[in-house]
Amino acid sequence: MAKREHRRWTRLDDEEDDLFGKNFKKSALKSPSEYVRQAILYPQIKPPPPPELVEVLKAILRENQAQGNNLNQIAFNLNASGYPIPDEFREMQKEQKNLNAEIRAALCMLTRYAR
């Protein structure tokens, strides 16, 4: 964890303080300090994604990984049996890996703000 030695103080009127409190609660961050750091580091502080969405993406990722395992097992058995692996099959493996990477990137992007 970063050693934080610098402090900044500010004054807010009632309206600004109410808005700060509402936005902080919507952000679901753990502390007002974390909220201010996020505001500095990122252009917009976004509320966390619905947990259901994250769970659905995790389930899709697990299923995609299982399908990738199946493709690899089929390729292994074809190779062990002496049959050539068709180019279309190799293309399917590449597409599956790309999809897996895209799902992981989406999960990472969604959970970046929900620390």
Side-chain angles (χ1 to χ4, degrees):
M1 184 172 181
K3 187 175 181 182
R4 295 187 171 102
E5 299 177 358
H6 304 282
R7 291 182 182 206
R8 299 287 182 241
W9 301 95
T10 187
R11 294 178 189 268
L12 304 173
D13 63 25
D14 290 340
E15 185 178 324
E16 293 167 335
D17 189 56
D18 288 343
L19 185 59
F20 179 86
K22 287 177 186 174
N23 289 337
F24 168 64
K25 284 181 184 176
K26 276 197 280 186
S27 75
L29 294 170
K30 295 179 179 169
S31 72
S33 295
E34 181 64 21
Y35 178 82
V36 171
R37 282 191 291 275
Q38 292 284 327
I40 293 167
L41 295 172
Y42 302 108
Q44 283 185 333
I45 297 174
K46 299 179 181 179
E52 301 84 15
L53 176 60
V54 173
E55 290 307 313
V56 166
L57 276 176
K58 286 181 180 178
I60 291 170
L61 180 61
R62 282 190 299 273
E63 178 63 28
N64 192 55
Q65 288 172 327
Q67 290 176 9
N69 289 340
N70 291 342
L71 287 174
N72 290 338
Q73 289 172 0
I74 292 169
F76 177 83
N77 287 325
L78 282 173
N79 192 36
S81 300
Y83 292 103
I85 298 173
D87 291 338
E88 295 86 1
F89 191 85
R90 294 224 186 263
E91 187 61 33
M92 283 174 32
Q93 286 180 307
K94 287 179 188 175
E95 288 176 12
Q96 186 275 333
K97 285 181 182 179
N98 290 340
L99 179 59
N100 198 359
E102 288 179 22
I103 295 169
R104 284 184 187 278
L107 266 171
C108 182
M109 188 173 58
L110 280 174
T111 58
R112 182 171 84 184
Y113 295 102
R115 295 179 188 190

